[in-house]
Amino acid sequence: MFDGNGQYEPEDMLYLTQLDDLNLLMIEQPFRTDDFYYHHQLKKQTITPISLDETIKSGHDAFQAIELEACDHINVKLGRVGGYQEALQIHRFAKVANMPLWCGGMLETGIGRAHNVALASLEQFTLPGDLSESSRYWEEDIIEKPFTVKDGKVSVPSKPGIGVAVNEKLLNKRTIREFTHTF
Ligand SMILES: [Mg+2]
């Protein structure tokens, strides 16, 4: 697979179709972040599945992408779509359309990673996600039990909520400043 990060132009369409020879898992987000049209055009011309990342900012965007046949998969990032409500709506649309999803991520602490792992445990998430172990990015993660990968898999915590506890001692050690927000 490769990620275009929205850097290709419509004139690159022919070049992108030639990547079919590489038998890729997907081409992710080749065109600009607000585009549905050219992704649809490319999807019609390639065998390689098209995955959308930055274009999908909400459940409604996912609905449009599915209905307009602008992609074969969606990369769901909780932060990008605005949280669980939208992510779950994307999941519902994808389920109806039988569209595979995958969970994007990278530099999260254990807290963000726990959210991603929970999301990626939903049934429509059938493609491998960006769910590395804590040690790939962190010398010390701020959760009690850092995530590990075994045989390419991450275990889903079974405790309530996000299933992980914050390592308060380590968090305090790393704290630069504090503020209190009152509602
Ligand atoms: Mg991407």
Side-chain angles (χ1 to χ4, degrees), residues 56-57 76-84 87 104 108 115-116 119:
I56 309 299
K57 298 184 192 73
V76 185
K77 290 173 180 160
L78 277 167
R80 196 194 64 235
V81 303
Y84 281 111
E108 297 83 8
H115 282 282
N116 285 350
L119 181 70

Side-chain angles (χ1 to χ4, degrees), residues 13 18 22 65 135 161 181 183:
M13 197 81 73
Q18 289 166 353
L22 299 175
S135 65
H181 184 75
F183 289 98

Side-chain angles (χ1 to χ4, degrees), residues 3 5 28-29 53-54 75 77:
D3 190 354
N5 278 320
E28 185 187 351
Q29 191 72 43
D53 179 354
E54 288 86 352
N75 170 351
K77 290 173 180 160

Side-chain angles (χ1 to χ4, degrees), residues 83-103:
Y84 281 111
Q85 188 168 330
E86 298 295 321
L88 291 174
Q89 196 178 45
I90 293 169
H91 187 261
R92 282 194 290 275
F93 287 136
K95 194 174 172 187
V96 172
N98 198 25
M99 179 180 282
L101 300 175
W102 60 288
C103 179

Side-chain angles (χ1 to χ4, degrees), residues 131-133 147-155:
L131 302 169
S132 56
E133 54 190 2
F147 282 99
T148 54
V149 174
K150 198 170 175 226
D151 299 327
K153 293 177 182 173
V154 176
S155 296

